[in-house]
Amino acid sequence: MTRRSIRFWFLMHKWSSLVSTAFLLMLCLTGLPLVFHDEIDAALGEDYEAALAGPPSAEAGQPLDAMLASALADRPGEVPLFMAFSQDSPLLTVTTGPAPDAPGEAMTLLFFDRATGTALGPAPTGGFMDFVLTLHTDLFLGLPGMLFLGAMGFLFVLALISGTVLYAPFMRRLAFGTLREKRSARVRTLDRHNLVGVVALGWMLVVGATGIINALADPVTESWQNGELAAMTARYAGEAPLAPADYGSLDAAMAAAQAALPGRSPQFIGFPGGAWSTGHHYAIFFQGDRPLTSHLLTPALVDAATGALTDAREMPALNQALMLSKPLHFGDYGGLVLKLIWAAMTLLTIWVLWTGLMLWLRRGPDHTARRVEEIAQGSAA
């Protein structure tokens, strides 16, 4: 590498790191409790599934029409927005709101035991985990906050790539992983920063890339709604949205959808008028029966008035990438062991970010020129 190219990569690494470090530290600190959200909910007594016994709500239980009627009786004057199922317990949730296109802050999430039909009350809101999740995903700024954090994730990936490009020539004159313990404190910190960064590089790239994809969730969903969903329901274009009073049987709609997608398990239902459906359909989303495909959803659109199947097809590749990225980002694939690995990698990332910041704060005169020369000497060795 020439000194000119080394300088280019060094400045890219320097500024992409500096601009994003504060926000990346925040994302790491908030991401740690989110990795263990199930365990924290259980410790706070908010794990409703643990107390329920019976078949999973995705497989059996009280009629869906009865469960919906119970939810609407609890929230008079509101309309159904979503119904979600558990693959592990009888827990069933119904989300209601004042209108089919109600914003998130106007929604109410209700818990039910589908095995018995018992109402368990509304989900707790405004707790610690809700605060942490909102801070982590959008800084309480909605879509602009999500896109901003996505940009910080992009800078993080640039910092990782540029750091790797610089590490290779720099280490040509040293054995891999060498820690120069007899050198100055700055050199010792730099060696540890580089070594830990390389050890955690693969994990950081995965989490950074999936974080960028997650930040695009709203635009990706809107793109699917305007493209694939519109194509699936083209013959309904121009018709007035169905009034909630005219919604037909959920059980009949589920039967029609399961006949079209046998062997799959329902994950949630989007009611007419929301972002996940149209003004005329129940959108019933099914997941696969394997660990990987369980995170890939296939929608079946059922005419909410007649119960007749309109269409069922796989979602586009970009939407599938989004669905796979969410559990991978938080380590939700492999139980507690994987969560502990995710936590350890997060702590290492915090250390890399912090030491990088300290190296910059303690920089001497002509810092850039000196570092470029150090790397160039390694490249020429």
Side-chain angles (χ1 to χ4, degrees), residues 52-217:
L52 301 181
S57 61
E59 297 177 3
Q62 298 295 312
L64 299 181
D65 292 327
M67 303 307 302
L68 180 60
S70 178
L72 295 179
D74 189 71
R75 303 293 300 179
E78 296 193 348
V79 298
L81 306 177
F82 297 99
M83 177 180 285
F85 305 91
S86 171
Q87 313 300 318
D88 304 309
S89 80
L91 182 69
L92 178 144
T93 66
V94 178
T95 303
T96 66
D101 59 350
E105 58 271 18
M107 297 179 184
T108 300
L109 180 65
L110 303 172
F111 289 165
F112 294 89
D113 180 348
R114 190 183 176 189
T116 63
T118 304
L120 305 175
T125 58
F128 170 72
M129 293 306 294
D130 282 347
F131 174 86
V132 171
L133 179 60
T134 306
L135 181 61
H136 186 87
T137 53
D138 63 19
L139 298 173
F140 296 92
L141 297 174
L143 179 59
M146 293 176 67
L147 295 178
F148 176 79
L149 291 178
M152 295 302 101
F154 178 74
L155 290 178
F156 180 46
V157 172
L158 279 183
L160 294 173
I161 294 172
S162 56
T164 304
V165 170
L166 293 170
Y167 187 67
F170 178 69
M171 292 303 294
R172 287 175 66 90
R173 61 191 172 95
L174 296 171
F176 177 79
T178 297
L179 300 177
R180 294 169 288 179
E181 296 294 346
K182 295 182 179 181
R183 298 288 298 275
S184 66
R186 184 192 72 83
V187 171
R188 294 197 301 270
T189 301
L190 176 63
D191 286 347
R192 294 190 179 97
H193 173 84
N194 289 337
L195 178 59
V196 175
V198 169
V199 168
L201 175 64
W203 181 87
M204 290 190 290
L205 281 172
V206 168
V207 172
T210 53
I212 295 171
I213 296 173
N214 290 341
L216 300 174

Side-chain angles (χ1 to χ4, degrees), residues 16-370:
S16 59
S17 301
L18 287 175
V19 171
S20 61
T21 289
F23 298 98
L24 292 172
L25 284 170
M26 180 277 294
L27 290 171
C28 287
L29 292 172
T30 54
L32 267 176
L34 291 174
V35 168
F36 299 102
H37 67 92
D38 291 330
E39 291 75 12
I40 293 174
D41 286 344
L44 295 177
E46 298 176 358
D47 185 1
Y48 284 78
E49 291 191 275
L52 301 181
S57 61
E59 297 177 3
Q62 298 295 312
L64 299 181
D65 292 327
M67 303 307 302
L68 180 60
S70 178
L72 295 179
D74 189 71
R75 303 293 300 179
E78 296 193 348
V79 298
L81 306 177
F82 297 99
M83 177 180 285
F85 305 91
S86 171
Q87 313 300 318
D88 304 309
S89 80
L91 182 69
L92 178 144
T93 66
V94 178
T95 303
T96 66
D101 59 350
E105 58 271 18
M107 297 179 184
T108 300
L109 180 65
L110 303 172
F111 289 165
F112 294 89
D113 180 348
R114 190 183 176 189
T116 63
T118 304
L120 305 175
T125 58
F128 170 72
M129 293 306 294
D130 282 347
F131 174 86
V132 171
L133 179 60
T134 306
L135 181 61
H136 186 87
T137 53
D138 63 19
L139 298 173
F140 296 92
L141 297 174
L143 179 59
M146 293 176 67
L147 295 178
F148 176 79
L149 291 178
M152 295 302 101
F154 178 74
L155 290 178
F156 180 46
V157 172
L158 279 183
L160 294 173
I161 294 172
S162 56
T164 304
V165 170
L166 293 170
Y167 187 67
F170 178 69
M171 292 303 294
R172 287 175 66 90
R173 61 191 172 95
L174 296 171
F176 177 79
T178 297
L179 300 177
R180 294 169 288 179
E181 296 294 346
K182 295 182 179 181
R183 298 288 298 275
S184 66
R186 184 192 72 83
V187 171
R188 294 197 301 270
T189 301
L190 176 63
D191 286 347
R192 294 190 179 97
H193 173 84
N194 289 337
L195 178 59
V196 175
V198 169
V199 168
L201 175 64
W203 181 87
M204 290 190 290
L205 281 172
V206 168
V207 172
T210 53
I212 295 171
I213 296 173
N214 290 341
L216 300 174
D218 287 356
V220 169
T221 300
E222 184 177 354
S223 175
W224 170 76
Q225 185 182 31
N226 294 333
E228 192 84 0
L229 184 61
M232 294 169 71
T233 60
R235 65 188 178 90
Y236 291 85
E239 295 185 11
L242 194 66
D246 296 328
Y247 294 173
S249 170
L250 266 183
D251 292 288
M254 180 63 75
Q258 288 178 320
L261 298 170
R264 304 201 189 194
S265 180
Q267 190 179 96
F268 75 93
I269 301 172
F271 284 79
W276 291 90
S277 186
T278 75
H280 309 88
H281 292 87
Y282 295 130
I284 306 177
F285 287 80
F286 291 85
Q287 64 182 51
D289 57 358
R290 297 180 181 179
L292 180 61
T293 60
S294 65
H295 298 286
L296 296 176
L297 301 182
T298 302
L301 297 181
V302 180
D303 189 304
T306 66
L309 180 74
T310 297
D311 199 354
R313 63 177 75 172
E314 302 288 343
M315 298 190 78
L318 188 57
N319 294 85
Q320 294 188 16
L322 174 63
M323 289 181 280
L324 288 174
S325 72
K326 288 186 176 181
L328 183 58
H329 187 74
F330 291 109
D332 284 346
Y333 275 108
L336 183 59
V337 172
L338 188 61
K339 291 182 178 184
L340 291 172
I341 294 174
W342 248 239
M345 291 294 102
T346 302
L347 291 173
L348 289 180
T349 302
I350 291 173
W351 192 88
V352 169
L353 293 169
W354 181 254
T355 54
L357 183 61
M358 291 300 101
L359 286 168
W360 181 77
L361 291 174
R362 296 170 183 170
R363 69 195 184 282
D366 300 322
H367 170 69
T368 298
R370 178 160 42 84

